[in-house]
Amino acid sequence: MKAAHLCLLLHVFLTASVLVHTFDPLTTTVVLGIGATLGRTIYNYLHESCDPKWITFNATGLQADLERKMFGQHIASRIILKAVTGFMSNDNPKKPLVLSLHGWTGTGKNFVSELIANNIYKEGMDSSFVHVFTSELHFPHAKQFDTYKSQLQQWIKGNVSNCGRSMFIFDEMDKMHPGLIDSIKPYLDYYDKLDGVSYRKAIFIFLSNAGGENIVQTALDFWKAGRGREEIELKDLEALLSLSVFNNKQSGLWHTSLIDKNLVDFFVPFLPLEYGHVVQCAMAEMNARELPPNLKVAKQVAKDLVYFPKAERVFSVKGCKTIESKLNYYT
């Protein structure tokens, strides 16, 4: 239906262009006006813009994605669903949404960022309103610290000026130069506008391995005590997590005013994954590739990963990080 609609618009636009050369000047002016309007319509149809046609939050879709595609992260899934749904349902938030996701590699931090984007933006992670910064790529040299601060401020301001519903994802926060992220602190605060720009509808997501040791230790303590991982609650980790990240000199959030001024809305812990979760990851990857489900292969892939503690083999060292490449070997 959409394709037919677009073809009709193009047909009318081309017809109008031909008619320009047929009629008198007055009629030509009218036809040109119609053609210009149709041209703008076609452009807006094809090009992403900052409006509900391209940016519409799908709360049901996010919930379904978290339930079906996120494995072993009951705390993270619950927090993210409530935080994002509450924020996107508010037409006049007091500040941007700021989420800090923590955990070892392969536990789902990048993946859940993708799920959030997919359920807000029609183009998902390919949206021109989703911006990803990677520390080692965008901020590699300590000597250029001041330059990075200025550039980061300009990037954030420019993109939010273009679309208030922008999303900024900062990957590898544990490798970011301490103090750099503080350069955007005013944009995350409770200001109505700064230099005529409102940042209140933007979303900022920080991804970091920092604090992962504390999360792992808590999961181990529960396991050793014979308690299920589902018994772990946010209160068991959030205060410990924010404190460890704040005091970690290897973290981009070290002594940051974002924590000191309580501008991070949620510190979201990602628990280490167990064998059963890795099997689920392998099965999900098969489904994504439209391969026939093969539980035997999924178990073999999961079995060949490295687990800790070494004797008990409870938690996957790399989570589901290498599932995609390992599945290539077995299929």
Side-chain angles (χ1 to χ4, degrees), residues 93-111:
K94 299 299 182 184
K95 64 180 289 296
L97 176 63
V98 184
L99 302 174
S100 192
L101 315 186
H102 298 266
W104 277 13
T105 184
T107 52
K109 301 185 299 297
N110 288 91
F111 183 60

Side-chain angles (χ1 to χ4, degrees), residues 22 41-42 51 57-58 70 72 95 177 184 231-232 243 246 251 258 261 263 269 300:
T22 306
T41 301
I42 293 170
D51 61 51
F57 178 54
N58 183 356
M70 278 284 289
K95 64 180 289 296
H177 307 300
I184 66 168
E231 295 183 56
I232 304 175
L243 187 62
F246 184 78
S251 168
L258 303 188
K261 300 298 181 182
L263 297 181
Q300 186 60 51

Side-chain angles (χ1 to χ4, degrees), residues 29-30 39 51 56 64 95 101 105 109 174 178 185 193 199 220 234 249 304 319:
T29 300
V30 174
D51 61 51
T56 302
K95 64 180 289 296
L101 315 186
T105 184
K109 301 185 299 297
D174 48 302
K185 182 258 180 188
K193 289 184 178 181
Y199 298 85
L220 273 172
L234 179 61
K249 290 186 177 181
D304 287 351

Side-chain angles (χ1 to χ4, degrees), residues 8-244:
L8 178 61
L9 287 173
L10 287 170
H11 175 72
V12 175
F13 179 68
L14 291 172
T15 302
S17 298
V18 172
L19 289 174
V20 167
H21 301 287
T22 306
F23 294 108
D24 57 66
L26 178 61
T27 306
T28 299
T29 300
V30 174
V31 173
L32 282 172
I34 295 172
T37 301
L38 285 169
R40 285 193 296 272
T41 301
I42 293 170
Y43 181 87
N44 291 334
Y45 187 92
L46 294 172
H47 292 80
E48 186 182 27
S49 55
C50 186
D51 61 51
K53 179 182 183 303
W54 296 92
I55 305 175
T56 302
F57 178 54
N58 183 356
T60 303
L62 179 59
Q63 182 176 5
D65 282 346
L66 290 170
E67 290 175 353
R68 299 171 189 170
K69 301 177 182 180
M70 278 284 289
F71 308 118
Q73 303 299 352
H74 65 284
I75 301 175
S77 295
R78 190 181 307 127
I79 297 171
I80 288 166
L81 180 61
K82 289 185 177 180
V84 176
T85 300
F87 180 75
M88 293 300 297
S89 301
N90 187 352
D91 290 330
N92 188 30
K94 299 299 182 184
K95 64 180 289 296
L97 176 63
V98 184
L99 302 174
S100 192
L101 315 186
H102 298 266
W104 277 13
T105 184
T107 52
K109 301 185 299 297
N110 288 91
F111 183 60
V112 82
S113 302
E114 181 179 332
L115 296 183
I116 295 171
N118 288 344
N119 286 286
I120 294 178
Y121 304 93
K122 185 176 180 180
E123 297 296 303
M125 290 295 291
D126 293 327
S127 170
S128 58
F129 308 124
V130 176
H131 313 279
V132 181
F133 300 96
T134 303
S135 296
E136 291 190 327
L137 176 63
H138 294 98
F139 318 112
H141 307 296
K143 292 182 179 180
Q144 297 183 30
F145 181 82
D146 291 333
T147 300
Y148 294 149
K149 287 176 66 175
S150 176
Q151 288 178 341
L152 190 52
Q153 290 173 336
Q154 291 172 15
W155 286 335
I156 301 296
K157 182 178 180 180
N159 283 299
V160 175
S161 297
N162 183 43
C163 183
R165 282 292 188 193
S166 293
M167 178 185 290
F168 302 92
I169 301 171
F170 292 83
D171 200 2
E172 300 179 345
M173 282 296 296
D174 48 302
K175 298 176 183 176
M176 181 178 283
H177 307 300
L180 177 57
I181 201 65
D182 273 344
S183 64
I184 66 168
K185 182 258 180 188
Y187 306 147
L188 276 58
D189 214 328
Y190 291 83
Y191 293 114
D192 183 20
K193 289 184 178 181
L194 291 171
D195 294 330
V197 179
S198 174
Y199 298 85
R200 291 183 170 192
K201 291 186 176 182
I203 296 177
F204 294 82
I205 301 177
F206 304 133
L207 313 180
S208 178
N209 291 343
E213 293 81 3
N214 300 90
I215 298 171
V216 168
Q217 187 58 56
T218 299
L220 273 172
D221 290 343
F222 269 70
W223 175 75
K224 290 177 180 177
R227 302 175 64 184
R229 66 188 286 126
E230 296 290 336
E231 295 183 56
I232 304 175
E233 299 179 18
L234 179 61
K235 65 181 182 181
D236 297 314
L237 289 164
E238 189 173 37
L240 179 65
L241 189 55
S242 63
L243 187 62
S244 66

